[in-house]
Amino acid sequence: MAQADRRQAAGARQLARIPKRLIFVAVAAMAAFVMQHSDRAPKIHLSSQISPSPGLIAGVASVIDGDTIEIH
């Protein structure tokens, strides 16, 4: 029984050596990954809360300028 307690204490000491900042960053990264790749996650966007989504744009687009398009 004493040997099991020593192993548990040794494991706790090893865990205590891990920097808390590293643990926080790892957990935050995993949470962000899960939220990004989860289809069941709620889609929370400010624009969807304020106004309805714009209508569908249909037509043929042509580039007028380097950053301007025109829909025919």
Side-chain angles (χ1 to χ4, degrees):
M1 190 72 163
Q3 190 175 15
D5 291 338
R6 285 187 203 137
R7 278 192 218 138
Q8 188 175 11
R13 281 192 300 269
Q14 286 178 343
L15 192 60
R17 286 188 215 156
I18 299 174
K20 304 298 186 263
R21 192 177 298 174
L22 177 63
I23 294 171
F24 176 75
V25 170
V27 169
M30 287 188 295
F33 180 80
V34 168
M35 288 298 292
Q36 184 176 7
H37 295 288
S38 176
D39 293 333
R40 292 182 279 149
K43 304 296 182 200
I44 301 172
H45 300 286
L46 183 60
S47 62
S48 65
Q49 300 295 326
I50 294 174
S51 64
S53 61
L56 181 66
I57 299 174
V60 177
S62 58
V63 178
I64 295 174
D65 219 344
D67 60 349
T68 306
I69 61 169
E70 183 178 62
I71 308 294
H72 301 280

